[in-house]
Amino acid sequence: MVLITGGAFQGKLEYTLNLTGILKEDIMDGENCTMEDLLNRPLVNHFHLWIDRMFRGDRDIYELMDLIQTENPDLIIIVDELGCGIVPMDPYDREYREVTGRVCCEIAKIAKEVHRVTCGIGMVIKHD
Amino acid sequence: MVTVVIGGSSSGKSEYAENLAVQLGQDNLIYIATMEPFGEESKLRIKKHQAMRSSKNFKTIECFTGLDKLLLSAGNTVLLECMSNLAANEMFSSSGAKDNVFAAIQKGIMNLSKQANHLIIVTNNVFEDGCNYSNETLEYIKLLGHINQWMASIADQVIEVIHGIPVVIK
């Protein structure tokens, strides 16, 4: 896996497309992609929205991540780096933010590359 | 030696800082816990952190305010977890320094760094989300920003943790 992280609106998608040459029609979106998409297609954007959907649906995110890692080991994941703000007032938001952080730590552990994008500029922070 | 470890919430910064302390200090480890156990959620959080470090042989000292008065035995590696709680306590709690937080924190950190072989301070990146906060919260964000800048200026190294990956920024 490759993990591309950074704040919202930092040019992560464009950076990734330039880096990989993946075509726009091959991008899936965490907001609405299916598990079948995740097991087959090369690039998922807004992965935090997928985590949000799975968490709301009470799914075992780590089990699903294992399956994705086995079936689609070259998947490129773009995620918003949540957690760099004041603790949210809403209890669900607090928990969702924490779960997303923990899941990203796990993805970063198994990813062969992690890039952090700020102002459209990527920095490779892990490269196996 | 002073090390500042900064990261967002659930970025893996605590685990990284604990492991760094273990590497540096081996058997002489002190953990300064700053979170006041208000309500179920913070009690659970405290338990989670206790479990995470249970095998690492830290001696835990609770300090919610008044870090400048803390006396430690010599020769320890000290992990302060974390500045974002300590600053909030000094600002909002009844025993806090109130209008004098920045000076109180400076005194507290200097007090620790004199006594410790290694001092590791964990702090939080709370600066990159939203702007629709109350004046009180904005004051807190501003204060923590100043404290972080000052700590980084006296630190020997500053490490940012992103999803568990350490990036040396000083």
Side-chain angles (χ1 to χ4, degrees):
Chain A
M1 278 180 190
V2 174
L3 182 64
I4 314 282
T5 188
F9 311 112
Q10 296 301 309
K12 298 189 291 297
L13 179 59
E14 201 179 336
Y15 169 83
T16 307
L17 294 179
N18 286 337
L19 189 76
T20 59
I22 289 173
L23 301 172
K24 280 208 165 114
E25 49 266 34
D26 288 327
I27 306 166
M28 48 188 158
D29 197 301
E31 194 181 359
N32 52 28
C33 64
T34 63
M35 198 58 200
E36 198 191 334
D37 289 333
L38 280 171
L39 298 180
N40 292 290
R41 292 168 68 178
L43 171 62
V44 58
N45 195 19
H46 302 135
F47 194 66
H48 51 285
L49 298 181
W50 179 82
I51 296 173
D52 187 15
R53 284 196 290 140
M54 296 304 113
F55 189 52
R56 278 179 201 277
D58 215 14
R59 304 287 300 273
D60 185 335
I61 296 171
Y62 294 101
E63 200 177 292
L64 296 173
M65 286 308 306
D66 277 348
L67 185 62
I68 295 168
Q69 164 69 3
T70 312
E71 299 283 320
N72 194 4
D74 294 325
L75 178 66
I76 298 164
I77 295 173
I78 304 177
V79 73
D80 277 7
E81 188 188 358
L82 306 181
C84 298
I86 291 289
V87 179
M89 295 292 276
D90 178 73
Y92 177 83
D93 289 348
R94 282 202 292 277
E95 228 183 322
Y96 158 59
R97 191 175 79 137
E98 175 154 355
V99 167
T100 304
R102 297 289 163 222
V103 170
C104 286
C105 285
E106 290 308 309
I107 298 173
K109 258 183 220 162
I110 57 172
K112 58 181 194 287
E113 284 175 39
V114 180
H115 301 233
R116 208 259 203 114
V117 180
T118 307
C119 305
I121 299 164
M123 190 162 87
V124 179
I125 59 174
K126 177 182 175 185
H127 198 301
D128 279 354
Chain B
M1 194 173 87
V2 177
T3 301
V4 173
V5 177
I6 185 164
S9 174
S10 305
S11 60
K13 62 188 184 305
S14 300
E15 193 181 350
Y16 173 80
E18 284 170 17
N19 291 338
L20 180 66
V22 170
Q23 264 176 36
L24 291 171
Q26 284 150 16
D27 295 328
N28 302 306
L29 300 172
I30 292 179
Y31 183 97
I32 301 179
T34 60
M35 183 181 257
E36 289 189 87
F38 283 137
E40 278 314 300
E41 211 171 302
S42 57
K43 281 178 194 158
L44 269 177
R45 234 189 145 70
I46 289 168
K47 277 199 183 130
K48 213 172 102 186
H49 276 260
Q50 282 169 343
M52 195 165 82
R53 66 175 188 273
S54 64
S55 63
K56 293 171 185 159
N57 289 323
F58 282 96
K59 182 185 164 205
T60 299
I61 297 174
E62 289 184 338
C63 181
F64 306 140
T65 55
L67 197 61
D68 58 315
K69 290 173 197 77
L70 205 60
L71 284 175
L72 306 169
S73 49
N76 285 291
T77 289
V78 177
L79 171 56
L80 174 73
E81 168 99 51
C82 63
M83 184 49 71
S84 48
N85 281 325
L86 187 69
N89 298 344
E90 290 287 7
M91 208 166 163
F92 302 121
S93 134
S94 55
S95 61
K98 299 281 183 331
D99 295 331
N100 212 9
V101 177
F102 188 67
I105 299 271
Q106 281 182 313
K107 263 172 84 179
I109 295 299
M110 294 319 285
N111 175 41
L112 287 189
S113 75
K114 266 185 253 156
Q115 299 180 68
N117 272 5
H118 297 281
L119 172 62
I120 301 165
I121 309 162
V122 176
T123 191
N124 219 299
N125 178 352
V126 298
F127 310 100
E128 299 179 16
D129 182 29
C131 44
N132 210 358
Y133 293 118
S134 68
N135 283 343
E136 201 178 40
T137 305
L138 280 174
E139 270 307 303
Y140 168 75
I141 296 172
K142 192 172 149 188
L143 176 75
L144 188 61
H146 282 156
I147 292 171
N148 284 352
Q149 288 177 55
W150 172 75
M151 290 195 304
S153 74
I154 62 150
D156 300 279
Q157 53 174 352
V158 181
I159 292 156
E160 182 181 13
V161 179
I162 303 156
H163 306 323
I165 300 166
V167 177
V168 178
I169 57 176
K170 176 180 174 179

